[in-house]
Amino acid sequence: MADTTGTAFDVVVLGGGSGGYAAALRAAELGMTVALVEADKVGGTCLHRGCIPTKAILHSSELAQGARESEQFGVHMTLEKIDMAGVNAYKDGVIGRLYKGLQGLIKSRKIEVVNGWGRLVAPDTVEVDGRRLTGKNIVLGTGSYARSLPGLEIGGRVITSDQALDLDHVPSSAIILGGGVIGSEFASAWKGFGVDVTIIEALPHLVPNEDEALSKAFERAYRKRGIKFNLGVRFAGVTQDESGVHVTLEDGKTFDAELLLVAVGRGPSTKDLGYEEQGVPMDRGFVLTNERLHTGVGNIYAVGDIVPGLQLAHRGFQQGIFVAEEIAGLNPPVIVESGIPRVTYSDPEVASVGLTEAKAKETYGADAVQVLEYNLGGNGKSQILATQGFVKLVRQKDGPVVGVHMIGARVGELIGEGQLIVNWEAYPEDVAQLVHAHPTQNEAIGEAFLALAGKPLHAHN
């Protein structure tokens, strides 16, 4: 075993975000000595500048929206104001409690946290502020940053999600550049706070990586909420002055607002970290690995947002666990990217796992795919919640289910069952036998599978 009092470890993890700290925790649990290098705070983007704070703000927004819409439920409420200082205090409190818990967990597993900017200086060595940490195994997990577009400077009234999470006031209006997950979530939150929101998306649909049926339903829902959007035309430029921002598109259209939020995705944080100098294979800043997350150099692995694919915290968690078990010789099963669930935490929520209808037809052939949609209008709990949407199932004809896609309030809480169905390659007939509690939204999955199995209850066949 390595000497934990010195600088030699079984595993040195560079980056303390979701993927990195998961690798560190699992490796320590398996009896390895671990150093975890982090320049900022352990927990990374997800805990401090991503998943957790955005969902806290979305919850505050949901309460505000609920107050405005309460009359339809026979409750008369008046929304006095949005207190952003209070919203931020609530958000920061959530982050603080989770951060404290994570620190305690890391300490209890005797992981040495090394604070500072780490750099790979040899295939088995990370240098942090002059201190060299050698590891029998190295795990790269340096995460991602909020990207911009070439020539688009961040500053003043042009912000990224990092600044948007700490606004001290509710803007009167905002333009959001990018209609993917991040842009759509901020649009939902800000609209709930009463902001006049416009989304600019260069692709033909909002949430463009989702099944097209979900994207179209999502656009209808946003239109109904009064969230404006312009699709299929690229951003050309922006100017800003004391009155706000002035955005121009390539077709000449212009939009004005108080702020411009740039939400065009996240780039890998790999610059000047010594990766290329040590021969780690790279492509446009991403670290390339094989299916077992090995880089092909020494005993260097990579996890999380720096590895091409879905940039999701739960993917990072799973990859971190996988790499620790791989190092320990447990030969864990390879992570199937299409089997990772995806959720947009907006109003309505979008949740999916597996292949879209288009991807399934491309993979198996148009005639070899069967699709079914179950409308939430037939679901009692959805009627109680006054939400609209549907569950869409994609299966190989006479074969297993390969995709589960949902839109509606709170459907993100249902995707766990969808993940089990897809990853266990279940047949509709298998799922149709399972009993779903009534009245729940979860029951919508059961109803959809009854229909797909040819024995619908509250749905038309």
Side-chain angles (χ1 to χ4, degrees), residues 173-177 190 196 198 200 245 247 255-257 259-261:
S173 57
I175 297 166
I176 298 176
L177 184 58
W190 283 348
D196 181 10
T198 303
I200 307 295
V245 293
V247 172
F255 300 85
D256 302 318
L259 292 174
L260 172 63
L261 170 63

Side-chain angles (χ1 to χ4, degrees), residues 340-363:
I340 298 172
R342 312 173 289 276
V343 184
T344 303
Y345 296 88
S346 46
D347 179 16
E349 287 187 350
V350 172
S352 59
V353 62
L355 304 182
T356 63
E357 179 182 352
K359 189 66 179 175
K361 287 179 174 176
E362 179 189 316
T363 303

Side-chain angles (χ1 to χ4, degrees), residues 9 16 30 52-53 73 76 90 96 100 105 107 120 126 167 175 178 186 223-224 282 288 318 328 342 364 443 452 461:
F9 299 85
L30 290 168
I52 298 302
F73 305 106
H76 294 256
Y90 152 65
K100 187 176 179 180
L105 194 58
K107 187 177 180 181
L120 190 68
V126 172
L167 286 179
I175 297 166
F186 272 103
R223 207 174 280 120
K224 189 175 178 182
M282 310 281 289
L288 302 181
Q318 194 62 28
R342 312 173 289 276
Y364 304 112
E443 190 180 12
L452 191 56
N461 201 0

Side-chain angles (χ1 to χ4, degrees), residues 40-382:
D40 193 4
K41 293 178 179 177
V42 171
T45 294
C46 176
L47 177 54
H48 300 287
R49 298 178 302 283
C51 327
I52 298 302
T54 54
K55 279 49 172 182
I57 287 173
L58 277 159
H59 182 58
S60 294
S61 169
E62 183 184 339
L63 293 173
Q65 189 76 14
R68 287 195 194 91
E69 297 173 350
S70 63
E71 281 189 34
Q72 66 179 305
F73 305 106
V75 178
H76 294 256
M77 287 193 285
T78 303
L79 179 64
E80 287 189 19
K81 66 174 183 176
I82 306 296
D83 170 19
M84 280 310 294
V87 170
N88 286 331
Y90 152 65
K91 172 202 71 180
D92 293 341
V94 172
I95 295 168
R97 289 189 294 276
L98 290 170
Y99 180 45
K100 187 176 179 180
L102 178 59
Q103 287 176 302
L105 194 58
I106 287 169
K107 187 177 180 181
S108 72
R109 298 207 188 160
K110 298 181 170 53
I111 294 164
E112 182 172 340
V113 176
V114 181
N115 289 113
W117 191 263
R119 195 170 190 280
L120 190 68
V121 294
D124 65 349
T125 308
V126 172
E127 187 174 272
V128 188
D129 299 330
R131 180 186 175 190
R132 292 200 163 207
L133 308 169
T134 60
K136 294 176 185 174
N137 301 275
I138 304 288
V139 180
L140 309 178
T142 42
S144 61
Y145 64 93
R147 284 179 53 232
S148 185
L149 295 176
L152 178 53
E153 296 285 327
I154 304 299
R157 295 177 181 271
V158 179
I159 63 175
T160 69
S161 57
D162 289 349
Q163 294 82 43
L165 287 169
D166 290 320
L167 286 179
D168 60 2
H169 71 290
V170 177
S172 59
S173 57
I175 297 166
I176 298 176
L177 184 58
V181 173
I182 297 169
S184 294
E185 288 185 353
F186 272 103
S188 186
W190 283 348
K191 186 63 182 178
F193 287 154
V195 180
D196 181 10
V197 179
T198 303
I199 303 172
I200 307 295
E201 172 53 58
L203 292 173
H205 290 292
L206 296 179
V207 287
N209 292 329
E210 296 294 344
D211 189 275
E212 190 172 328
L214 261 65
S215 292
K216 288 179 177 178
F218 187 74
E219 289 159 15
R220 288 193 296 273
Y222 266 29
R223 207 174 280 120
K224 189 175 178 182
R225 285 190 66 191
I227 296 173
K228 294 168 282 190
F229 47 89
N230 194 93
L231 304 173
V233 182
R234 288 182 175 277
F235 167 86
V238 61
T239 59
Q240 55 177 309
D241 53 34
E242 288 183 8
S243 68
V245 293
H246 314 286
V247 172
T248 306
L249 304 189
E250 286 185 350
D251 63 359
K253 276 187 192 171
T254 59
F255 300 85
D256 302 318
E258 181 183 331
L259 292 174
L260 172 63
L261 170 63
V262 180
V264 293
R266 299 186 64 84
S269 295
T270 55
K271 190 177 179 185
D272 299 328
L273 294 177
Y275 296 175
E276 286 170 299
E277 291 88 332
Q278 299 307 319
V280 173
M282 310 281 289
D283 179 31
R284 294 169 297 158
F286 289 96
V287 175
L288 302 181
T289 71
N290 63 14
E291 64 176 7
R292 305 200 72 80
L293 300 175
H294 191 270
T295 63
V297 178
N299 288 329
I300 300 176
Y301 298 83
V303 297
D305 286 0
I306 62 172
V307 179
L310 298 167
Q311 291 181 313
L312 300 169
H314 46 280
R315 173 183 180 250
F317 292 145
Q318 194 62 28
Q319 288 184 335
I321 293 167
F322 174 92
V323 162
E325 294 182 351
E326 180 78 353
I327 290 169
L330 300 182
N331 195 30
V334 169
I335 299 165
V336 180
E337 196 90 358
S338 64
I340 298 172
R342 312 173 289 276
V343 184
T344 303
Y345 296 88
S346 46
D347 179 16
E349 287 187 350
V350 172
S352 59
V353 62
L355 304 182
T356 63
E357 179 182 352
K359 189 66 179 175
K361 287 179 174 176
E362 179 189 316
T363 303
Y364 304 112
D367 296 334
V369 172
Q370 184 182 357
V371 173
L372 180 133
E373 286 187 19
Y374 171 73
N375 195 302
L376 292 184
N379 175 257
K381 189 61 180 285
S382 296

